[in-house]
Amino acid sequence: MDGIKTATRLKGSWCYWLLQFAVWLCSISDVLALETATPSDISSASLLASPPKSGIFKPIDISPAVIPHYSFPGGSLPPMYPTYPTTYEPVLTGRCPVNFSAISSIMEITASDCIQLLAGVVANIICCPQFNSLLHIFQGFYSTTSDHLVLQNAVADDCFKDIVSILASRGANNSVPIICSAKSTNLTGGSCPVKDVTTFEKTVNTSKLLDACSTIDPLKECCRSICQPAIMEAALKLAGVQSFMNDNKDAVGLSNNVDIINDCKGVVVSWISRKLPHENANKAFRILSACKVNKACPLDMKQPTEVIAACRNVAAPSPSCCSSVNTYIAGIQRQMLITNKQAIICATMFGAMLQKAGVMTNVYELCDVDLKDFSLQANGQEGCLLGSLPADMIYYNSSGFSFTCDLRDNIAAPWPSSSSITSLSLCAPEMSLPALPTSHNFGNPGCRGLGADLFVSILSIFVFGAILF
């Protein structure tokens, strides 16, 4: 994307780039107070955000309608989010019989990951996976003092309200349930017929389940799953569907049991939470969520009518074609930050849409489109792709909230080999990314470490794009 690339190709060494950035940081003196979104600020469309179609760890469906939009008088841009939001004592219902201090570490992580202004921007890959993990851990923790793996409806509603209140008091966006399509019924076990520990442990091979999910390899689980099949096997046994599957091949009959199976997955995960230390359970659930989230493009891509009209018969560089491509991508990139794996899928989907409409020329190469162009930009100049492994927001006193950008994101977007591509495997060759740059690539070995550190604390750049739209 020529218009974007020109602004990002800085001359000089990494040290010089870093020096300029440091001077810019020092020039910031005033912090603009921002008003966080409340449930009444969310559009009616966001209230209709549907939950994931199926599965405890299915891709999280985040509608662009729930992403907060902020306007600033006079068009001036605010600086980064340099201070931790003001905290206060939450007002609880008093009807949730749980000592929340016992899971305070997970609550603090969740509050940070769903911090006020950035919750919608990082919802799909950081906030919602962590919020869902918290709910699983809470459900398991609640069950440690009883024989029940789930909460009754009334108690679940009160506890859910308390969880949201505590998170908001620690700086989290109080619209997280809307953003993540989460409800108190997630804690009840729904229609699963088995909800008590005794029956669960008589029905499920618990030693096999615990062996598969107690320690999960983040690099292997997404390609050669061990824990996910174990959870599914246990859920099928709880739902009483295993024998049905063996004796009846009627897909229609099986589809009627999908809701029950998904509810039973929640019961299985609650039992796992009960058995594992909170930190271990949180790590496991985040890995499982990452495997699912990275299988889909979370961006809402409308039919690119103008791009098709401008690029259908183009075989050489064309200002009108590239302008329409840049405009379209500039529209979808405003939605949220995405991972490198998601960017590959999004680029492939967009390319397939164009090919199906008759655009056969590789417009990515023609218009210099990179993978990072599909993710949120900072003032239209630079993008950030997060890594595909689970990550958290980190607060530094010196720089505010930060997250790690993938150093390999400055690569060309892949043009699909066929318009018939409907899905990509996380383990497919086309999902591979180039190796991290070496000191030789940087040109100046002495600045390599500084360049990497810069990306670790780069929220100060990307928060501009997050709050502009």
Side-chain angles (χ1 to χ4, degrees):
M1 299 171 66
D2 293 331
I4 296 177
K5 300 293 181 274
T6 302
T8 60
R9 290 170 179 164
L10 303 179
K11 297 181 179 180
S13 68
W14 276 89
C15 287
Y16 177 71
W17 198 97
L18 182 58
L19 180 60
Q20 287 185 314
F21 179 73
V23 172
W24 176 81
L25 277 181
C26 294
S27 67
I28 295 176
S29 58
D30 297 319
V31 176
L32 182 62
L34 300 176
E35 213 175 88
T36 59
T38 63
S40 61
D41 295 326
I42 305 297
S43 66
S44 58
S46 69
L47 298 178
L48 302 177
S50 58
K53 294 290 189 294
S54 63
I56 292 297
F57 297 106
K58 285 295 183 180
I60 301 169
D61 185 15
I62 306 297
S63 169
V66 303
I67 297 177
H69 288 59
Y70 303 93
S71 58
F72 301 95
S76 59
L77 301 178
M80 61 179 176
Y81 206 144
T83 59
Y84 204 96
T86 302
T87 60
Y88 56 88
E89 286 299 318
V91 178
L92 305 182
T93 63
R95 296 185 295 272
C96 181
V98 169
N99 178 14
F100 286 99
S101 62
I103 56 172
S104 60
S105 61
I106 306 301
M107 297 283 284
E108 292 293 341
I109 293 173
T110 308
S112 178
D113 284 350
C114 297
I115 203 68
Q116 293 169 358
L117 290 181
L118 303 177
V121 174
V122 298
N124 183 265
I125 45 183
I126 296 180
C127 174
C128 293
Q130 180 57 42
F131 182 66
N132 288 335
S133 178
L134 169 63
L135 295 182
H136 296 320
I137 291 171
F138 173 83
Q139 192 176 11
F141 174 68
Y142 181 90
S143 73
T144 55
T145 57
S146 70
D147 189 51
H148 300 287
L149 289 170
V150 299
L151 284 67
Q152 297 298 318
N153 289 339
V155 178
D157 189 54
D158 289 331
C159 290
F160 188 82
K161 290 177 181 177
D162 285 352
I163 291 172
V164 175
S165 295
I166 294 173
L167 292 178
S169 74
R170 297 296 178 265
N173 191 312
N174 55 13
S175 297
V176 166
I178 298 175
I179 294 173
C180 299
S181 302
K183 301 177 181 179
S184 61
T185 52
N186 293 4
L187 302 172
T188 65
S191 56
C192 183
V194 177
K195 299 180 180 181
D196 64 282
V197 177
T198 303
T199 307
F200 181 96
E201 294 183 347
K202 288 181 179 179
T203 307
V204 174
N205 185 340
T206 55
S207 61
K208 178 181 178 182
L209 177 63
L210 201 56
D211 287 343
C213 297
S214 59
T215 303
I216 301 179
D217 188 326
L219 299 179
K220 295 181 179 179
E221 180 66 26
C222 297
C223 294
R224 296 182 293 278
S225 302
I226 298 176
C227 179
Q228 295 171 80
I231 292 176
M232 175 59 79
E233 179 182 341
L236 291 174
K237 288 183 177 180
L238 296 183
V241 179
Q242 188 66 59
S243 58
F244 176 88
M245 292 180 64
N246 294 335
D247 301 335
N248 192 330
K249 305 301 182 182
D250 183 5
V252 176
L254 181 60
S255 65
N256 295 330
N257 294 278
V258 170
D259 290 339
I260 299 177
I261 295 173
N262 289 331
D263 289 338
C264 286
K265 280 185 178 181
V267 175
V268 174
V269 171
S270 176
W271 183 88
I272 294 174
S273 300
R274 178 187 174 104
K275 293 295 182 180
L276 296 181
H278 300 327
E279 289 72 18
N280 292 13
N282 188 60
K283 180 180 179 180
F285 299 151
R286 289 295 303 275
I287 293 172
L288 294 178
S289 291
C291 291
K292 296 297 182 181
V293 166
N294 281 295
K295 288 182 179 179
C297 172
L299 302 179
D300 181 21
M301 291 195 286
K302 306 296 184 183
Q303 184 67 15
T305 305
E306 294 184 2
V307 178
I308 294 169
C311 302
R312 180 174 289 159
N313 298 315
V314 171
S318 165
S320 61
C321 172
C322 291
S323 176
S324 63
V325 169
N326 291 348
T327 300
Y328 182 88
I329 294 180
I332 62 174
Q333 70 187 192
R334 296 177 181 179
Q335 296 175 23
M336 66 185 76
L337 283 164
I338 63 176
T339 70
N340 44 32
K341 299 287 188 180
Q342 289 175 327
I344 294 176
I345 297 174
C346 292
T348 302
M349 286 179 55
F350 180 44
M353 291 169 67
L354 295 178
Q355 288 184 355
K356 287 180 180 179
V359 179
M360 307 312 295
T361 302
N362 183 348
V363 296
Y364 294 161
E365 181 179 4
L366 199 68
C367 303
D368 196 18
V369 178
D370 288 345
L371 276 180
K372 65 183 178 184
D373 295 327
F374 287 86
S375 191
L376 190 67
Q377 306 289 296
N379 200 23
Q381 295 182 2
E382 185 68 60
C384 170
L385 292 177
L386 300 185
S388 56
L389 296 179
D392 294 302
M393 300 291 291
I394 302 175
Y395 180 76
Y396 297 100
N397 290 330
S398 59
S399 58
F401 283 93
S402 302
F403 45 80
T404 304
C405 297
D406 194 328
L407 292 174
R408 299 167 295 181
D409 62 4
N410 194 23
I411 58 177
W415 183 252
S417 57
S418 170
S419 62
S420 61
I421 293 178
T422 57
S423 63
L424 288 173
S425 168
L426 286 179
C427 311
E430 56 267 29
M431 293 295 286
S432 299
L433 292 164
L436 287 171
T438 64
S439 58
H440 175 72
N441 300 122
F442 278 90
N444 187 344
C447 293
R448 183 181 184 277
L450 294 176
D453 290 341
L454 178 62
F455 280 86
V456 174
S457 185
I458 204 164
L459 178 60
S460 51
I461 295 181
F462 296 117
V463 77
F464 280 124
I467 55 184
L468 269 176
F469 310 109

